[in-house]
Amino acid sequence: LPFHKYKTHIATAAEEHLHECAYYASSNGVSNLHFTVSEAHQSQFESIIDTVKSEMEKESRTVINTSYSFQNKSTDTIAVDLKNNPFRDKNDKLLFRPGGHGALIENLDNLDADIVFIKNIDNVIQNHIESIALYKKTLAGVLVELQQKVFKYLNGIDEGNVKHLDEIIDFVKNELNIGVNDGFSKYTSENKISYLKELLDRPIRVCGMVKNEGEPGGGPFWVQDSKGVVSLQIVESSQVDLANAGQAKILASATHFNPVDLVCGMRNNKNEKFDLTQFVDHNSGFIVEKTQNGKPLKSYELPGLWNGAMAKWITVFVEVPLITFNPVKTVNDLLKDPHQPL
């Protein structure tokens, strides 16, 4: 879709991401940009990118490697009618629907990268790129600083240097906001070390959050699971029981909103890739109601990519300014000032 009008041409959102990635996601003059797309549209993306990439590389003095993937068909889920009978299309075939963006945890897992920035394709502008890049780099800086501390403690555990358990516990509680089991103090030394290693040896995500301005979507919350464990999670409204007045009130009082602005640490202290599929909360999928040819249906969606699919990651929230969040959900959003030329 055409997004921004320049004096010489009209740019698509994909093109603007080429421009943006060179500002904050490059190393040694190389930037890697990955798009998850619909399989049917990949050739159009490639055509757009091929038309503008060489000029972008020349302008930014950065080699931009682009790659593509699409949601695996094996993650589609069967649809049912309102009586939970399998739904059939007009050709009397069973209907399977995409399992939602949670299916993309497999795509993310397949990337060969140390650090990955994640954002929605519509959240891109042509102005203030320097300011946006500054906050992206800031989030990455928070991630790297946390990684260094986590790796230091894990390396110490691996080397048998575990004299400062109180220091690790303080870090886990106060900097990573991870609760420690009530009975931890009664554990044997060996079990304490094993438990702390399990808490620390996980992928890390730093999530930018903006102040809540009433946009539809999810936000940062404390969540308690069935075992009583409390953790930081990004929660969508579809995950909340809105019939429960108490839960609805908590959702409505959210101070911050999730703009999908994540920086992810993909490797452990031994520089090995995490298997991201091992950190999914499979109990956090949800049922959605849709229509097909005017007929209502229900479908199961997998735990969302930044929701249940990352539920067992180390998670840190950082407030970022609203200037970094300029989504385009309807064509009228392109009329807003951030999407207009200066």
Side-chain angles (χ1 to χ4, degrees):
L1 296 174
F3 250 50
H4 298 144
K5 187 175 183 179
Y6 291 89
K7 291 181 179 179
T8 56
H9 71 294
I10 295 175
T12 63
E15 178 182 332
E16 296 291 25
H17 279 285
L18 277 178
H19 180 57
E20 185 175 308
C21 74
Y23 267 85
Y24 62 79
S26 63
S27 178
N28 299 319
V30 178
S31 185
N32 298 301
L33 180 62
H34 183 84
F35 293 100
T36 55
V37 300
S38 299
E39 187 174 0
H41 296 147
Q42 182 172 339
S43 61
Q44 293 172 278
F45 275 88
E46 290 175 338
S47 176
I48 290 168
I49 299 302
D50 290 345
T51 300
V52 301
K53 190 161 82 82
S54 60
E55 186 62 31
M56 289 283 188
E57 290 178 324
K58 182 179 178 182
E59 179 185 322
S60 63
R61 297 181 181 178
T62 303
V63 175
I64 304 174
N65 298 319
T66 55
S67 58
Y68 307 85
S69 66
F70 36 86
Q71 186 172 314
N72 193 328
K73 285 288 185 183
S74 68
T75 60
D76 289 357
T77 60
I78 192 169
V80 298
D81 62 23
L82 298 187
K83 294 183 179 179
N84 294 328
N85 298 308
F87 189 98
R88 294 183 179 273
D89 63 19
K90 58 185 179 183
N91 297 317
D92 203 35
K93 291 185 176 181
L94 293 174
L95 178 68
F96 288 82
R97 299 188 70 259
H101 55 68
L104 300 180
I105 194 69
E106 293 184 9
N107 303 56
L108 182 62
D109 191 50
N110 288 333
L111 294 181
D112 182 18
D114 299 331
I115 293 175
V116 175
F117 295 83
I118 299 177
K119 65 184 297 184
N120 286 335
I121 195 168
D122 58 276
N123 181 22
V124 65
I125 60 175
Q126 55 184 322
N127 309 318
H128 311 300
I129 184 64
E130 292 85 1
S131 296
I132 289 173
L134 171 64
Y135 289 103
K136 290 286 191 181
K137 290 178 180 179
T138 301
L139 293 177
V142 173
L143 173 70
V144 171
E145 184 177 35
L146 286 174
Q147 270 189 329
Q148 289 174 344
K149 292 181 180 179
V150 169
F151 291 174
K152 180 187 75 171
Y153 292 132
L154 286 172
N155 289 336
I157 290 173
D158 290 340
E159 294 163 5
N161 181 17
V162 288
K163 298 178 181 178
H164 307 293
L165 282 187
D166 289 343
E167 181 182 325
I168 300 177
I169 294 167
D170 183 67
F171 171 71
V172 166
K173 287 181 176 179
N174 298 320
E175 292 194 48
L176 301 183
N177 295 295
I178 297 174
V180 175
N181 283 349
D182 292 338
F184 178 81
S185 60
K186 299 178 182 178
Y187 287 6
T188 64
S189 295
E190 185 177 330
N191 286 341
K192 284 181 178 179
I193 293 167
S194 176
Y195 176 72
L196 289 174
K197 182 174 181 178
E198 182 184 343
L199 291 183
L200 292 173
D201 194 16
R202 307 177 185 212
I204 305 174
R205 58 174 176 162
V206 175
C207 313
M209 294 289 162
V210 296
K211 289 187 175 179
N212 192 350
E213 295 282 314
E215 292 279 355
F221 290 92
W222 290 102
V223 174
Q224 185 178 59
D225 68 15
S226 58
K227 296 181 180 178
V229 177
V230 176
S231 61
L232 289 174
Q233 302 290 341
I234 300 173
V235 179
E236 306 292 332
S237 57
S238 56
Q239 295 176 271
V240 180
D241 180 8
L242 297 178
N244 182 316
Q247 292 292 299
K249 183 178 179 181
I250 292 172
L251 182 67
S253 64
T255 59
H256 288 76
F257 174 85
N258 168 40
V260 187
D261 192 359
L262 287 77
V263 188
C264 303
M266 307 282 284
R267 294 181 180 271
N268 64 17
N269 62 307
K270 299 174 183 176
N271 199 32
E272 300 165 335
K273 281 181 60 179
F274 284 106
D275 178 358
L276 302 184
T277 63
Q278 299 302 306
F279 299 90
V280 177
D281 176 7
H282 294 285
N283 293 320
S284 60
F286 50 93
I287 305 297
V288 294
E289 293 189 8
K290 302 287 184 178
T291 61
Q292 179 82 6
N293 296 327
K295 296 181 180 180
L297 60 81
K298 294 190 293 184
S299 181
Y300 174 76
E301 291 205 358
L302 299 168
L305 179 59
W306 41 84
N307 313 119
M310 294 182 175
K312 299 177 183 179
W313 290 41
I314 293 173
T315 298
V316 173
F317 295 135
V318 176
E319 184 179 315
V320 292
L322 277 168
I323 192 174
T324 64
F325 182 49
N326 301 282
V328 179
K329 302 305 180 188
T330 73
V331 67
N332 290 332
D333 289 331
L334 286 168
L335 300 175
K336 294 179 180 178
D337 286 345
H339 293 282
Q340 300 301 308
L342 292 174

